[in-house]
Every structure is written in structure tokens, then in C-alpha cells.
Amino acid sequence: MKVLVVGANGQVGKHLVKFIQDTEHMEAKAMIRKEEQASYFKDLGAEPVIVDLESGPDTIAEAFDGVDAVVFTAGSGPNTGPDKTMMIDLDAAVKTIEAAKHKGVKRYVMISSFDTTREAIQSAPESFAPYVVAKHYADDWLRKTDLDHTIIHPGMLNNEGGTGQVEAAETVERGEIPREDVARIILETLQNDSTIGKEFQVVGGSTSVEDAVKSL
Ligand code: NAP
């Protein structure tokens, strides 16, 4: 299975590409935006593809050639304003969903935010609300497609070492999760078709990633 990782140079993305390359039956196509980012992925044996997510839909769709699944783990990050939130967390996400449809890439895994409900928008602090809005509508766009999708809602991400132990369910108590464990749960999701059509929240916990995904 060849997996297009959108946002591959991100903190979750880099773990994910490595985990994919460590499997025997999967390989990653790493979507990055700068030539100088490519060597990390080439060294892992992954195929880099350089595309700025603010590009037009046709340019983005070209990166979908030859892949079987896509993971969206890009993000505008906390150091940019609502303009980039609109361009990346919403518009780029929708462009990749449309590209998947157009190119016949059925499997789509979205890394969303912990709570993207209407209630979460209304109760978010003013500076955070545009991000929740973007994630809310991107998730909703994906739900309304016939793609084989899974929407993952991780808690607050940290850079502690992964433990491989999580708590995952439709709703869980708010908490933190290492980015490495988010990458593990994405990998497990890609390998379990029982996750198709589902969405779940995930935080650090005491169940192995494998068992947590099986129990969904
Ligand atoms: P990250 O490290 O900020 O990575 C985001 C990636 O998106 C970066 O590689 C960045 O590229 C890429 N990107 C941004 N704009 C782009 C553009 N115009 N063209 C191409 N690529 C672009 O994110 P993370 O911490 O791994 O988070 C992964 C996902 O989890 C995100 O979707 C985030 O919204 C979501 N999430 C975050 C939290 C949290 O607590 N932070 C909680 C739940 C969910 P460069 O490397 O070139 O900058």
C-alpha cells in the first residue's frame, strides 16, 4: 500500500513516514513543500513530492498519482494567523479530499482536532475558534464523500516519547498524547479496514494501540 502523507515534514508526519517505511507492506509518498526537506525522506527510502498546499487543485491532485491511501496531517501551526488557518486547515484539506475523489484514491485518514463539533466552535476562545471552524468544515466535507474515510481526533499533542499505550473511543476524557503515538495510531488505522467510516478521539492511556483500534 502506497500512502501519501500530506504534511510529511510535520512532527507527526515525520514519525508516520518512518513507521510506514519500517513495515514490509507499505511505503510512503511524502508531500513536502521545500526541496531541502527531501533528503530526510529519501534517506528513509520514501518518495518525496514537493507541493505547496496553497497551490491550485490540479497541482495538488498530481501528487495523488500512484497512491492507494492518503493521510492529512498538515496544519498551519500556532505561529500564523487565521488567514493561513483558512488556507491550510480548511482549503488545503478540502483540496486533498477532492483530489482523492478525482484520482480514485478511496482511503482517506484525516487528522482532525480533539473536538470539532458546533458546540466546540461556540465555546472556543476567540483566537482558537477559526482553527476549530476550519477543522469542523473539513471533517464535514470528508464525511459527506463516499471515500473510505477515518477521522482521528487526537488530544493535545506533546513531544514526549511514545508509549504505544492510548485510550481511543468515540469520546474520551480530554488529555494529551505524544505525537509519536498519534503516528502509531494512524499506522494501525491504515492497516485496519474496520476503522473505515468511523471517527474517534484518542489520548494517552493504558491500552495498546493495536487493541485500541480493534475495539473501535
Ligand atoms: P506540524 O508539526 O505543525 O506540521 C504541519 C505540517 O504542515 C508542516 O510540515 C508544514 O510544513 C505543513 N504545511 C503547512 N503549510 C503548508 C503549505 N502551504 N504547503 C505544504 N505544507 C504545509 O503539525 P503537528 O504538530 O505534526 O500536527 C499534526 C496534525 O495534528 C495537524 O493537522 C494539527 O492541526 C493536528 N492537531 C494538533 C493538535 C495540537 O495539540 N497541536 C491537537 C490535535 C490535532 P513545513 O514543515 O514546511 O513548515
Side-chain angles (χ1 to χ4, degrees):
M1 184 199 287
K2 191 159 193 170
V3 183
L4 180 67
V5 179
V6 180
N9 196 57
Q11 300 165 90
V12 169
K14 279 185 159 173
H15 285 298
L16 178 61
V17 171
K18 183 168 185 325
F19 288 153
I20 290 173
Q21 290 303 122
D22 283 347
T23 69
E24 288 190 349
H25 54 287
M26 295 169 87
E27 53 183 324
K29 189 171 185 179
M31 201 188 212
I32 53 177
R33 60 172 150 177
K34 293 181 194 138
E35 184 69 52
E36 60 263 33
Q37 296 167 342
S39 61
Y40 173 87
F41 300 99
K42 285 184 188 157
D43 289 349
L44 290 174
E47 179 193 350
V49 56
I50 298 167
V51 183
D52 191 312
L53 283 168
E54 293 191 45
S55 310
D58 292 347
T59 305
I60 286 176
E62 278 171 30
F64 285 64
D65 285 332
V67 306
D68 308 295
V70 56
V71 176
F72 185 91
T73 184
S76 59
N79 301 320
T80 55
D83 51 342
K84 295 295 179 194
T85 304
M86 192 63 66
M87 296 307 291
I88 304 303
D89 303 288
L90 179 53
D91 193 45
V94 170
K95 284 184 291 190
T96 61
I97 294 165
E98 289 302 298
K101 281 163 58 181
H102 182 60
K103 292 284 183 169
V105 180
K106 286 288 280 178
R107 187 76 173 108
Y108 192 111
V109 177
M110 172 68 86
I111 310 312
S112 182
S113 180
F114 184 71
D115 187 350
T116 60
T117 57
R118 165 53 55 190
E119 296 70 33
I121 294 173
Q122 298 312 134
S123 62
E126 196 179 336
S127 62
F128 193 60
Y131 172 72
V132 186
V133 168
K135 290 294 211 185
H136 170 88
Y137 285 105
D139 288 354
D140 216 39
W141 197 282
L142 180 57
R143 279 183 206 111
K144 288 176 177 151
T145 68
D146 65 356
L147 294 175
D148 291 341
H149 68 272
T150 307
I151 303 177
I152 302 178
H153 298 276
M156 187 182 286
L157 307 183
N158 66 44
N159 286 329
E160 285 166 24
T163 62
Q165 302 284 309
V166 298
E167 191 184 346
E170 207 171 313
T171 57
V172 300
E173 288 241 341
R174 203 173 269 278
E176 295 195 15
I177 180 168
R179 286 180 168 87
E180 192 181 331
D181 284 338
V182 174
R184 284 184 208 285
I185 202 113
I186 297 168
L187 185 76
E188 199 59 26
T189 296
L190 285 166
Q191 297 179 104
N192 279 276
D193 283 353
S194 61
T195 59
I196 289 172
K198 293 187 180 160
E199 53 188 290
F200 61 91
Q201 295 181 327
V202 59
V203 295
S206 56
T207 306
S208 72
V209 163
E210 292 78 10
D211 287 346
V213 166
K214 271 194 210 106
S215 72
L216 290 168

